[in-house]
Amino acid sequence: MNAKSPFPRAFFLMLALVASVPLVFAHSGAMGPTKERMDAMGETKAHLKSLRAATTGNEVDAAAAQKALDELNAFAEELPALFDERHLPDVSEARAKIWDQPEQFEDEIRFFSQKLEEARAQLDEDPAQVLRTVAAGCGSCHDDFRRNKKSE
């Protein structure tokens, strides 16, 4: 822009920042137990990313992979408490089935924990399989208990 423009660059920069606020606050509107769940699920993405980086490529970083698996295991232990309270606002991705079929939900959490242990055992023998094994544990629960807001 030239100096004669009635709108300085700072104005357009500010406009761009204000327009991006909804993108920054993807969980806006989430409060209480739902926000806690969403934040915890978000943290797992970082652990999965670390696990992926540690187990793919030419060199396996076993220490980093173990740390990521430890964090995911701690998350698995925390999961039941995150869903103690039935809290289903529109922003939630949880399905009511979690509370309507608690035994099945608990089975899925146990399955996830088993997949984490299986992945730990694969770390030495087949590190390329580790992430797939963990993802199978995540996906199994998500298939039944997580709403896909894009398709619903």
Side-chain angles (χ1 to χ4, degrees), residues 76-138:
E77 291 173 0
E78 176 188 11
L79 263 171
L82 289 172
F83 291 93
D84 274 348
E85 184 179 335
R86 184 182 190 117
H87 194 254
L88 284 169
D90 287 342
V91 297
S92 178
E93 294 177 350
R95 288 185 171 162
K97 189 175 182 180
I98 291 169
W99 297 278
D100 297 340
Q101 298 177 6
E103 297 84 12
Q104 184 182 353
F105 184 61
E106 290 167 9
D107 287 344
E108 288 295 343
I109 294 171
R110 279 190 288 280
F111 179 74
F112 177 54
S113 294
Q114 290 168 352
K115 288 296 178 185
L116 291 172
E117 288 308 309
E118 187 179 325
R120 208 177 287 279
Q122 291 170 332
L123 193 53
D124 290 330
E125 298 166 14
D126 191 5
Q129 184 63 33
V130 170
L131 188 61
R132 285 185 220 114
T133 299
V134 173
C138 296

Side-chain angles (χ1 to χ4, degrees), residues 17-116:
L17 289 173
V18 170
S20 68
V21 167
L23 300 174
V24 172
F25 296 101
H27 292 157
S28 68
M31 299 182 314
T34 297
K35 176 121 174 61
E36 290 174 30
R37 291 192 304 256
M38 288 177 157
D39 289 347
M41 295 290 178
E43 289 174 19
T44 64
K45 289 179 186 177
H47 303 312
L48 290 168
K49 187 176 180 179
S50 295
L51 184 62
R52 177 189 206 191
T55 58
T56 57
N58 294 335
E59 299 223 8
V60 173
D61 184 344
Q66 287 288 358
K67 183 177 183 207
L69 289 168
D70 289 345
E71 294 291 341
L72 290 166
N73 191 61
F75 170 71
E77 291 173 0
E78 176 188 11
L79 263 171
L82 289 172
F83 291 93
D84 274 348
E85 184 179 335
R86 184 182 190 117
H87 194 254
L88 284 169
D90 287 342
V91 297
S92 178
E93 294 177 350
R95 288 185 171 162
K97 189 175 182 180
I98 291 169
W99 297 278
D100 297 340
Q101 298 177 6
E103 297 84 12
Q104 184 182 353
F105 184 61
E106 290 167 9
D107 287 344
E108 288 295 343
I109 294 171
R110 279 190 288 280
F111 179 74
F112 177 54
S113 294
Q114 290 168 352
K115 288 296 178 185
L116 291 172

